[in-house]
Amino acid sequence: MTLIEQLDASGLTGRGGAAFSTGTKVRAAIENRAALIVNACDGEIGATKDAWVVENHLADLVQGAKLIAPGRLGGIRYAAHRGSATASRLAAAGLEVLEVPHRYVSSEESALISLASGQLARPMTKRTPFVYGGRDVQGRQVAPTVVLNAETVWRVAQIADRGSAWFRSFGTPTEPGPRLVTIGGSVHSPGVFAAAAGIPLADLLRAAGAAGAEGAGGIPGPVWLGGLGGFFLTEAEAAGAIWSNAGLAAYGGSTGPGVINVLAPDRCPLAQVSSLLSYAAGESAGQCGPCMFGLPAVSAQWAELIARPTSRAVDQFSARVDLLIGRGACRFPDGVAGMVRSALRVFGQHLAEHAAGNCPLEGKVAHAYLA
Amino acid sequence: MPTSPDRQAEIRIDRIACSAHGICASLLPRDIQLDEWGYPVIANAAVDPAEGETAIRLCPARALYWAGT
């Protein structure tokens, strides 16, 4: 069996969040003699699994990269945040490191390709997939390049070594294989855990030392999955949810980049979302109008909304959020829109309580924008 | 150069190149509106091929293109 046949048989999908078929991607990469960028940036908030792969399975990672870009040793680069322990480990192993600035969108696929082409680490418009080569916005040619997440490349090496049947002995038939998750927030033992689709979310949280009240199914606080492009679950939903795309679809979510965070149970969740939105607003690369103007506007309007929620304010806010969808060169604004829509659903009851001027967790609502 | 679009061709916007001139919304008022900052919102991407060609040609930012080209 060729590598591509093995990958197709395994059903491996990208572990960075987009979950595209790795077999399809690697086939196009080999056919186009594409350069490979192994993305070990852990770009999503709270993610540390790429760092874990580099720390614990570097030899396999390098082997996987060589399989994907055969005979093109000069064409393999490892992307890691500048100054990170991961970048040091990769450099110490004699690998070519693409040092990435500490910005949210810098480790987005086309931003890495832009950086590798000698330009800024900012997303590019994807008229056609960059695995075929393309041009940047200034018309400069971009060589065929493929970006694969570090965990994905490690899985490629595992599948080549152990076979697709081994791989499929984990997970579910439609979402096969082992997966890493990073669990953090209000848990006693945060870190990277071995998981697979189909596991109850509560089991994953217990493995990370989540301990909550019996009444909430042992879940200490609302659960935030998938980072800035993710979604939220109430304690009760988290207690019953199955961690898989199939199980999380009902909540508008997916396993995504494998990041799970238990929110602080004693802090206003709306204020926590507010912090996330103001961070997101500052992370726009400032290239696409709907993102560079839309995200700060959404962030500011959220702060007003949670201080003085009315049904009219909710409608106006939702209309503005809708304008973030499908209007950027990358999916960053789409991801934030999904997260904030989920916040409105999950914390809707809490928002209603703010209407009376009182937060059930933090007392009097501060009218930061309207006082 | 892209070949002439077929019936199903959809218009796309290079969001990085777009600098909110608004010409597309003037030329394709049924299909494209502008948001509060003047950036286009596509209501219908399957625009009339001839009208689409004109819009693509006249966009000052060269930000319009047919999907897949």
Side-chain angles (χ1 to χ4, degrees):
Chain A
M1 243 206 243
T2 68
L3 173 71
I4 291 166
E5 286 166 347
Q6 275 188 312
L7 293 177
D8 285 342
S10 74
L12 174 64
T13 54
R15 296 296 197 240
F20 188 77
S21 159
T22 304
T24 302
K25 213 163 167 177
V26 170
R27 179 180 295 108
I30 290 176
E31 284 173 2
N32 291 282
R33 296 185 57 76
L36 170 66
I37 299 173
V38 179
N39 187 357
C41 285
D42 281 318
E44 194 47 74
I45 294 181
T48 57
K49 72 185 175 79
D50 300 341
W52 185 90
V53 170
V54 169
E55 189 176 353
N56 296 286
H57 297 280
L58 186 54
D60 288 344
L61 181 69
V62 170
Q63 179 58 26
K66 286 177 181 168
L67 290 171
I68 294 161
R72 305 217 44 196
L73 298 189
I76 301 174
R77 287 198 255 192
Y78 295 80
H81 281 133
R82 190 175 292 152
S84 65
T86 300
S88 304
R89 280 197 182 92
L90 291 164
L95 300 167
E96 193 177 338
V97 181
L98 185 64
E99 294 208 332
V100 180
H102 284 270
R103 298 302 300 269
Y104 183 80
V105 296
S106 295
S107 55
E108 187 268 344
E109 179 176 35
S110 64
L112 291 179
I113 296 174
S114 177
L115 182 65
S117 314
Q119 307 301 322
L120 294 174
R122 301 198 300 190
M124 297 189 286
T125 299
K126 290 166 267 290
R127 293 195 180 198
T128 51
F130 279 106
V131 70
Y132 305 119
R135 290 192 180 272
D136 67 12
V137 72
Q138 269 86 33
R140 284 179 293 245
Q141 201 149 8
V142 177
T145 311
V146 68
V147 179
L148 287 165
N149 168 262
E151 184 192 347
T152 312
V153 175
W154 175 46
R155 299 301 182 197
V156 168
Q158 286 185 313
I159 290 165
D161 185 38
R162 305 178 194 187
S164 55
W166 166 82
F167 187 78
R168 282 190 168 274
S169 68
F170 298 87
T172 69
T174 52
E175 298 171 58
R179 290 165 196 270
L180 296 177
V181 291
T182 316
I183 307 178
S186 293
V187 295
H188 294 296
S189 314
V192 176
F193 296 84
I199 292 177
L201 176 58
D203 289 1
L204 285 173
L205 293 173
R206 255 191 298 279
E214 285 293 320
I219 310 295
V223 181
W224 171 38
L225 298 96
L228 283 187
F231 63 105
F232 300 91
L233 298 175
T234 65
E235 291 90 331
E237 287 169 348
I242 297 298
W243 192 74
S244 67
N245 289 337
L248 298 171
Y251 309 105
S254 69
T255 56
V259 185
I260 304 175
N261 184 292
V262 179
L263 294 183
D266 54 347
R267 275 200 61 211
C268 174
L270 303 174
Q272 296 187 66
V273 172
S274 205
S275 304
L276 295 176
L277 287 176
S278 55
Y279 171 75
E283 289 300 302
S284 172
Q287 300 188 109
C288 306
C291 178
M292 72 173 135
F293 294 111
L295 287 183
V298 162
S299 174
Q301 202 168 340
W302 175 265
E304 290 178 30
L305 177 69
I306 67 173
R308 194 165 292 173
T310 62
S311 61
R312 186 158 169 271
V314 171
D315 290 346
Q316 287 174 336
F317 178 75
S318 298
R320 206 194 273 279
V321 170
D322 289 347
L323 286 175
L324 293 175
I325 309 284
R327 299 180 68 223
C330 74
R331 307 276 297 165
F332 175 45
D334 305 68
V336 174
M339 181 186 75
V340 77
R341 282 172 170 176
S342 175
L344 279 178
R345 181 189 74 81
V346 169
F347 307 123
Q349 185 57 43
H350 191 104
L351 185 66
E353 296 188 55
H354 276 217
N358 214 40
C359 173
L361 289 172
E362 298 190 355
K364 192 170 175 357
V365 173
H367 287 212
Y369 285 77
L370 299 173
Chain B
M1 289 298 290
T3 52
S4 63
D6 62 28
R7 227 169 236 289
Q8 264 67 52
E10 297 199 343
I11 207 157
R12 293 276 186 276
I13 297 163
D14 183 327
R15 297 290 178 177
I16 296 174
C18 176
S19 40
H21 289 85
I23 305 292
C24 54
S26 303
L27 293 172
L28 303 165
R30 293 185 308 276
D31 306 306
I32 297 181
Q33 284 86 48
L34 300 178
D35 69 15
E36 63 196 281
W37 298 287
Y39 290 91
V41 181
I42 300 183
N44 168 41
V47 303
D48 175 80
E51 290 179 9
E53 275 302 323
T54 303
I56 288 171
R57 190 160 43 82
L58 294 180
C59 171
R62 312 290 293 152
L64 290 173
Y65 62 100
W66 295 111
T69 65

